[in-house]
Amino acid sequence: LDSTVDHHLVMSVADPLVAVLRELEPNHRVLALPNSPTTENLAAYLHGEASRILRSLDTAPSARVLRVHVQETSVNAAAFTAR
């Protein structure tokens, strides 16, 4: 997750500036989400990515990600909980 999320600009893939940024600044870190880059959607995305990574590990086959909490500001946060 550090290489795909940490210190990245989070945008929607539908945003036309994603392509512009990638062309003008190929080394700029951009995370293009399939939907609007809200805190709620970022929590869901991180849950999916963390779950995918965890499933690929042989050391804890029954482990799973139950909940991801994203704190955007001191008064705004979102959580995604596995069903």
Side-chain angles (χ1 to χ4, degrees):
L1 289 176
D2 288 343
S3 65
T4 58
V5 178
D6 194 29
H7 299 289
H8 281 60
L9 173 62
V10 181
M11 302 173 77
S12 168
V13 294
D15 191 322
L17 290 179
V18 170
V20 173
L21 281 171
R22 288 183 171 159
E23 182 178 332
L24 295 176
E25 295 288 337
N27 295 325
H28 191 80
R29 296 176 175 188
V30 177
L31 171 61
L33 296 180
N35 43 31
S36 179
T38 64
T39 306
E40 294 82 4
N41 288 337
L42 185 57
Y45 169 81
L46 292 172
H47 179 275
E49 287 298 294
S51 294
R52 180 185 59 76
I53 292 166
L54 191 58
R55 281 192 306 272
S56 73
L57 302 176
D58 295 331
T59 55
S62 63
R64 63 188 188 123
V65 179
L66 297 178
R67 184 172 189 261
V68 172
H69 176 93
V70 175
Q71 189 75 40
E72 184 176 30
T73 67
S74 62
V75 296
N76 185 44
F80 183 87
T81 304
R83 294 182 184 172

